[in-house]
Amino acid sequence: GESVGLHLPTLSVQEGDNSIINCAYSNSASDYFIWYKQESGKGPQFIIDIRSNMDKRQGQRVTVLLNKTVKHLSLQIAATQPGDSAVYFCAENSQWEAGGASYGKLTFGQGTILTVHP
Amino acid sequence: DTGVSQNPRHKITKRGQNVTFRCDPISEHNRLYWYRQTLGQGPEFLTYFQNEAQLEKSRLLSDRFSAERPKGSFSTLEIQRTEQGDSAMYLCAARTSGGLTDTQYFGPGTRLTVL
């Protein structure tokens, strides 16, 4: 079936460095992608999203890049801080309409563990 | 604060017992989702409600699982005759219809341990 996956399961960086987390997706029909951050014992926290009609979107210290040609998504975190340490997931939103109703669900990748050393 | 609360946060039960979890989104979130997450994995979709109607169920949702959203507000997920393989984090997510974003906002989850 369709799936979303991550290239690197772990990433260790020094405080202040920039971090790049990568994600490959396989459902070319998907038109929306989300990055989530999940800390231990907590639910996923929204970071940033991007639609397929864009190739770049910036937030506060974060940038998401989308390359539809190779079905690749990345999350860049600038000036990484210890508080950024968490598991990061990319998710693909699949949505469709049928019988007058709207359906949708997220398909997540396995996650990348980001560790930031002070 | 995502506007989605879940109770209980932790549940320990013995195999064969029934358990029920509750999710309370804010009123604007008419779309509600349940996911299951095992250690080291991303959340997996279980089921979806639009208002009170359950519109989609994953094949992961066996006959022992049932979800309801009777008034289109809070939702419950019940697992009957729990098995050790049911041990996981159960996450509820919600969002509004329309708008500029399809983002789902997650609650803190309920950690289930089946002994």
Side-chain angles (χ1 to χ4, degrees):
Chain A
E2 300 288 3
S3 65
V4 177
L6 294 173
H7 292 303
L8 300 175
T10 61
L11 178 64
S12 292
V13 300
Q14 291 296 126
E15 181 177 3
D17 287 351
N18 296 332
S19 302
I20 299 176
I21 301 171
N22 297 300
C23 174
Y25 67 93
S26 57
N27 187 352
S28 57
S30 180
D31 64 354
Y32 182 64
F33 303 88
I34 311 168
W35 280 100
Y36 286 94
K37 170 187 179 183
Q38 188 173 25
E39 297 173 289
S40 181
K42 297 183 179 180
Q45 175 189 353
F46 170 82
I47 302 173
I48 192 168
D49 57 3
I50 189 168
R51 293 199 177 275
S52 60
N53 61 354
M54 304 171 68
D55 54 18
K56 180 179 181 179
R57 191 165 187 217
Q58 288 184 296
Q60 186 177 15
R61 287 201 303 119
V62 294
T63 301
V64 55
L65 299 178
L66 176 62
N67 186 331
K68 294 181 288 295
T69 302
V70 295
K71 298 179 187 173
H72 185 265
L73 196 68
S74 68
L75 176 69
Q76 301 178 357
I77 305 174
T80 316
Q81 303 167 359
D84 295 328
S85 294
V87 180
Y88 288 80
F89 294 98
C90 66
E92 166 191 3
N93 186 60
S94 303
Q95 189 161 287
W96 65 96
E97 305 284 338
S102 175
Y103 299 77
K105 65 181 180 182
L106 291 176
T107 301
F108 284 80
Q110 189 175 15
T112 292
I113 301 172
L114 175 64
T115 303
V116 183
H117 301 283
Chain B
D1 183 9
T2 62
V4 181
S5 60
Q6 291 186 247
N7 288 287
R9 293 295 309 278
H10 303 275
K11 179 69 176 178
I12 300 174
T13 191
K14 293 183 179 180
R15 188 173 48 142
Q17 297 296 304
N18 300 341
V19 294
T20 300
F21 312 139
R22 177 173 170 132
C23 172
D24 285 87
I26 58 176
S27 59
E28 291 83 355
H29 289 166
N30 63 326
R31 302 188 181 196
L32 186 146
Y33 307 76
W34 284 99
Y35 291 83
R36 181 173 69 187
Q37 185 178 26
T38 53
L39 196 62
Q41 301 296 319
E44 296 174 291
F45 171 80
L46 291 178
T47 190
Y48 162 59
F49 288 86
Q50 183 164 307
N51 299 310
E52 66 277 5
Q54 188 175 20
L55 297 184
E56 190 180 6
K57 293 192 291 185
S58 163
R59 280 171 283 183
L60 293 174
L61 214 66
S62 74
D63 291 344
R64 297 184 296 106
F65 288 70
S66 62
E68 295 182 341
R69 196 181 185 199
K71 298 181 181 179
S73 55
F74 72 92
S75 176
T76 58
L77 177 68
E78 180 183 16
I79 309 175
Q80 296 181 324
R81 305 181 303 281
T82 52
E83 302 173 355
Q84 289 184 324
D86 296 332
S87 295
M89 173 79 88
Y90 289 85
L91 293 160
C92 176
R95 56 166 283 226
T96 57
S97 293
L100 299 177
T101 178
D102 294 320
T103 300
Q104 295 179 26
Y105 295 94
F106 283 82
T110 295
R111 169 74 65 188
L112 173 66
T113 302
V114 182
L115 303 176

